[in-house]
């Protein structure tokens, strides 16, 4: 089995980090929380915004990422994805 | 002239129609669940499961239809050799759809390196005979069962047990079908085993869905 995290697990870790910060987190928090390199963070933040899971906001010159309802729904549904996949022995 | 006795008592087709119908419905529900998860996760294996269960659902729908047909048109079936084309076509569709489903299960569980090489699903047509179909099914499912036993040994949770048990039950269903010539009553037992197997899938789905 590969030790590399799949895209879906990275998305989960990023969204979970934002949710833990009361739904609003700075890019550096997401970077450390999801254990990502800067380049990968930029790439995945773009994808999460594109899919409507997060939104970017700028306050007092600082950029923040806010988890959307769709993002929260993804996190709550993730357990089902995980359990279903695990039941069939599928790696996620 | 001595007429040959029917292989399976005609009353049993009403029972098997119910079993196949339930199996088809459960397969469609699992397929729908896999589709919803694929939409959310984009995990390719969920796509394989989606099509596997869809194919099984279609296969058992064909069997439901042929069982009902056989039950209501029993005079045509009182002599074993007098099978109608509708019944034959129904079973042939079931054979093809089931083998497709089992091949997709196999692809789901193949190691990634082999999966890439398994680009074209080769469906040999020589299995379209009762015995050959069940033998091929047993071989395909054996690998799926082994992978699920390994998964259960690793995870040790109820959901992985239910999926493993369901695949073992489907495998047992095919094994029992091969033994019918020795004892017709095994047909009844095979269908009971199949029902338990699909009930196991349903239980897993309820457990995952309710949480």
């Amino acid at each position: 089995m590969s030790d590399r995290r799949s895209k879906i697990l990275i998305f989960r870790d990023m969204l979970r980090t934002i949710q833990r910060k009361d739904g609003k987190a700075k890019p550096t928090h997401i970077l450390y929380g999801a254990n990502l390199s800067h380049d990968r963070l930029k790439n995945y933040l773009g994808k999460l915004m594109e899919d409507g899971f997060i939104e970017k906001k700028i306050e007092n010159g600082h950029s923040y990422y806010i988890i959307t309802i769709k993002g929260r729904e993804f996190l709550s549904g993730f357990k089902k994805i995980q359990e279903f996949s695990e039941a069939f022995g599928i790696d996620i | 002239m001595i007429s040959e006795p029917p292989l399976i008592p005609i009353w049993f087709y009403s029972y098997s129609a119910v079993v196949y119908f339930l199996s088809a419905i459960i397969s469609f529900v699992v397929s729908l669940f896999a589709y919803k998860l694929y939409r959310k996760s984009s995990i390719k294996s969920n796509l394989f499961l989606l099509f596997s269960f869809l194919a099984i659902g279609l296969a058992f729908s064909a069997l439901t239809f042929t069982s009902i047909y056989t039950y209501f048109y029993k005079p045509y079936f009182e002599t074993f050799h007098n099978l109608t084309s509708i019944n034959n076509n129904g079973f042939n569709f079931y054979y093809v759809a089931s083998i497709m489903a089992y091949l997709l299960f196999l692809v789901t569980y193949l190691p990634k390196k082999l999966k890439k090489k398994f680009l074209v699903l080769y469906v040999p047509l020589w299995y379209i005979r009762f015995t050959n179909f069940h033998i091929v099914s047993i071989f395909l499912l054996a690998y799926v069962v082994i992978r699920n036993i390994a998964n259960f040994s690793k995870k040790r949770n109820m959901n992985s047990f239910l999926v493993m048990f369901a695949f073992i039950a489907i495998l047992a269903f095919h094994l029992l079908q091969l033994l019918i010539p020795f004892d017709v009553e095994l047909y009844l037992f095979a269908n009971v085993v199949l029902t338990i197997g699909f009930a196991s899938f349903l239980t897993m789905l309820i457990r995952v869905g309710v949480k």
Side-chain angles (χ1 to χ4, degrees), chain A residues 15-77:
Chain A
L15 291 171
R16 207 184 253 176
T17 306
I18 302 171
Q19 198 178 34
R20 279 180 187 156
K21 295 272 175 190
D22 294 326
K24 182 179 151 187
K26 284 181 181 176
T28 41
H29 289 145
I30 305 169
L31 186 133
Y32 289 116
N35 196 21
L36 290 167
S37 67
H38 186 262
D39 284 348
R40 290 183 87 193
L41 176 79
K42 247 177 99 177
N43 181 21
Y44 288 131
L45 281 174
K47 277 182 182 154
L48 283 175
M49 280 199 290
E50 216 177 276
D51 292 342
F53 290 126
I54 56 169
E55 280 170 7
K56 190 178 181 180
K57 272 201 171 181
I58 296 172
E59 283 176 15
N60 304 324
H62 295 288
S63 56
Y64 292 90
Y65 290 92
I66 296 166
I67 189 165
T68 61
I69 294 169
K70 196 180 171 187
R72 286 181 201 277
E73 278 173 1
F74 172 84
L75 277 182
S76 61

Side-chain angles (χ1 to χ4, degrees), chain A residues 1-2 6-8 53 73-74 76-92, chain B residues 33 37 40-41 43 45-46 49 53 109 148 151 154-155 159-160 163 167 201 204-205 208-209 211:
Chain A
M1 209 177 99
S2 165
S6 63
K7 206 161 70 180
I8 189 171
F53 290 126
E73 278 173 1
F74 172 84
S76 61
F78 186 83
K79 208 166 178 244
K80 282 181 188 175
I81 297 170
Q82 198 169 23
E83 285 189 13
F84 184 80
S85 304
E86 274 183 13
F88 280 94
I90 294 168
D91 292 331
I92 59 169
Chain B
F33 201 82
L37 296 189
K40 279 185 180 176
S41 67
I43 298 168
S45 299
N46 279 335
L49 285 181
F53 279 101
Y109 288 104
N148 274 278
N151 182 48
K154 201 171 136 191
K155 306 269 167 56
N159 289 340
S160 55
V163 171
F167 279 121
F201 273 135
M204 179 278 297
L205 210 60
V208 172
K211 279 182 183 172

Side-chain angles (χ1 to χ4, degrees), chain B:
Chain B
M1 201 179 107
I2 302 163
S3 64
E4 287 184 48
L7 252 187
I8 296 149
I10 202 73
W11 64 268
F12 190 70
Y13 284 94
S14 59
Y15 170 74
S16 63
V18 175
V19 171
Y20 297 143
F21 178 71
L22 289 175
S23 303
I25 294 295
I26 293 169
S27 299
F28 288 137
V29 173
V30 178
S31 179
L32 184 71
F33 201 82
Y35 168 71
K36 282 183 177 176
L37 296 189
Y38 174 72
R39 291 267 324 255
K40 279 185 180 176
S41 67
S42 304
I43 298 168
K44 268 189 188 167
S45 299
N46 279 335
L47 198 64
F48 285 124
L49 285 181
L50 185 173
F51 286 117
S52 306
F53 279 101
L54 186 66
I56 288 193
L58 290 171
F60 282 118
S61 299
L63 277 194
T64 307
F65 177 74
T66 48
S67 291
I68 293 169
Y69 181 84
T70 308
Y71 183 74
F72 284 107
Y73 292 88
K74 59 184 178 186
Y76 295 104
F77 292 86
E78 278 171 354
T79 305
F80 176 59
H81 294 293
N82 193 17
L83 290 171
T84 64
S85 62
I86 286 181
N87 194 278
N88 271 337
N89 290 335
F91 268 89
N92 285 342
F93 181 83
Y94 161 70
Y95 293 154
V96 174
S98 291
I99 292 289
M100 287 294 286
Y102 299 154
L103 277 168
L104 284 166
F105 278 133
L106 189 75
V107 175
T108 309
Y109 288 104
L110 277 177
K112 273 184 185 171
K113 283 178 189 172
L114 281 173
K115 212 180 275 189
K116 281 176 187 170
K117 289 176 186 171
F118 210 86
L119 291 173
V120 180
L121 288 179
Y122 171 64
V123 184
L125 290 171
W126 51 264
Y127 62 78
I128 305 180
R129 274 167 184 273
F130 182 82
T131 311
N132 291 339
F133 162 70
H134 289 296
I135 290 171
V136 172
S137 298
I138 288 163
F139 273 102
L140 293 174
L141 283 167
Y143 180 74
V144 177
V145 165
I146 289 166
R147 287 295 303 263
N148 274 278
I149 290 171
N151 182 48
F152 172 66
S153 310
K154 201 171 136 191
K155 306 269 167 56
R156 294 261 167 207
N157 62 32
M158 183 53 86
N159 289 340
S160 55
F161 171 79
L162 289 167
V163 171
M164 177 193 72
F165 184 79
F167 279 121
I168 290 172
I170 298 173
L171 179 69
F173 166 75
H174 288 292
L175 272 170
L176 289 165
Q177 293 274 344
L178 280 179
L179 301 174
I180 289 171
F182 302 105
D183 188 350
V184 176
E185 282 175 13
L186 283 174
Y187 188 73
L188 182 79
F189 187 55
N191 278 263
V192 171
V193 168
L194 188 73
T195 313
I196 295 168
F198 276 91
S200 189
F201 273 135
L202 186 66
T203 311
M204 179 278 297
L205 210 60
I206 291 167
R207 282 173 59 87
V208 172
V210 164
K211 279 182 183 172

